[in-house]
Amino acid sequence: WEPGAETPRFRSGGKRRMRGWRYTPDGAQTLTTGSMTTAGIACLAIVKERLADLGKLTPETARKIDSAMLDGLVWLGELFTVESNPTFPAGGAPWHLYYMYGLERVGALTGFATMGKHEWYPAGARFLVGAQKPDGKWEGQLGTMNLTDEHESEVVQTCFALLFLRRSTSPPAVP
């Protein structure tokens, strides 16, 4: 497996809509966020792979999953940043390093080296290396960066940063 290598399970569907995910489906939380969009795409990629492994992936289900993932990838490409957890409407959101780990998962599970025109890994790695504290950790809002809410620990933030940098998500088995 090489980052950016063509993965036959994911094909272009022509013109795509820009659709992201939000935290709740009922409208209580109206912002679509990068963290929830990466989580949605990663979950769909895992579900598709599992259904295929079980021999239960119908062409119609594969088409619907691919359509949703591609629309989410368009959302990520259009609103791409590594400096915050992007939102629509704009405004930024907490959970920055959770979003960064989500980018890593999406990149590994889909095989895409770019989100839109953006090379997600080099951009994210440069940002994280520059944001690392002298003692090796990454801090949340209690530090100098607006990475996540004040309830998240430095340990959790550091783990998300390291998971991104390590490219820790195993790539899927390509049929």
Side-chain angles (χ1 to χ4, degrees):
W1 180 78
E2 290 293 324
E6 289 294 322
T7 305
R9 293 178 301 160
F10 304 101
R11 296 185 297 266
S12 171
K15 284 192 153 187
R16 303 298 331 153
R17 294 181 293 165
M18 182 177 119
R19 294 189 299 157
W21 276 259
R22 59 184 181 205
Y23 192 70
T24 59
D26 61 6
Q29 194 263 2
T30 59
L31 290 176
T32 54
T33 66
S35 54
M36 289 295 97
T37 299
T38 58
I41 295 167
C43 287
L44 287 173
I46 292 166
V47 166
K48 183 177 179 183
E49 183 176 20
R50 291 301 305 138
L51 288 172
D53 288 348
L54 295 170
K56 296 185 179 200
L57 182 64
T58 66
E60 177 65 13
T61 300
R63 187 194 63 72
K64 287 180 179 180
I65 290 173
D66 284 347
S67 179
M69 287 195 305
L70 288 168
D71 289 352
L73 288 164
V74 169
W75 190 98
L76 288 174
E78 290 292 321
L79 299 175
F80 182 83
T81 183
V82 294
E83 296 174 8
S84 67
N85 180 7
T87 65
F88 185 83
W95 306 101
H96 181 193
L97 293 182
Y98 172 64
Y99 157 70
M100 295 292 289
Y101 174 50
L103 278 178
E104 185 275 335
R105 290 187 54 83
V106 167
L109 292 169
T110 64
F112 286 110
T114 60
M115 298 294 160
K117 297 178 181 178
H118 309 278
E119 292 183 330
W120 61 267
Y121 185 78
R126 279 190 301 273
F127 175 81
L128 288 174
V129 169
Q132 188 176 20
K133 299 296 177 190
D135 62 1
K137 67 184 176 195
W138 283 264
E139 294 179 337
Q141 287 177 338
L142 295 176
T144 58
M145 295 176 61
N146 184 19
L147 297 180
T148 189
D149 72 30
E150 64 275 6
H151 303 292
E152 287 296 303
S153 72
E154 295 167 348
V155 172
V156 171
Q157 300 315 301
T158 299
C159 288
F160 282 137
L162 292 173
L163 286 166
F164 178 95
L165 291 169
R166 176 62 179 92
R167 296 188 74 149
S168 62
T169 303
S170 297
V174 177

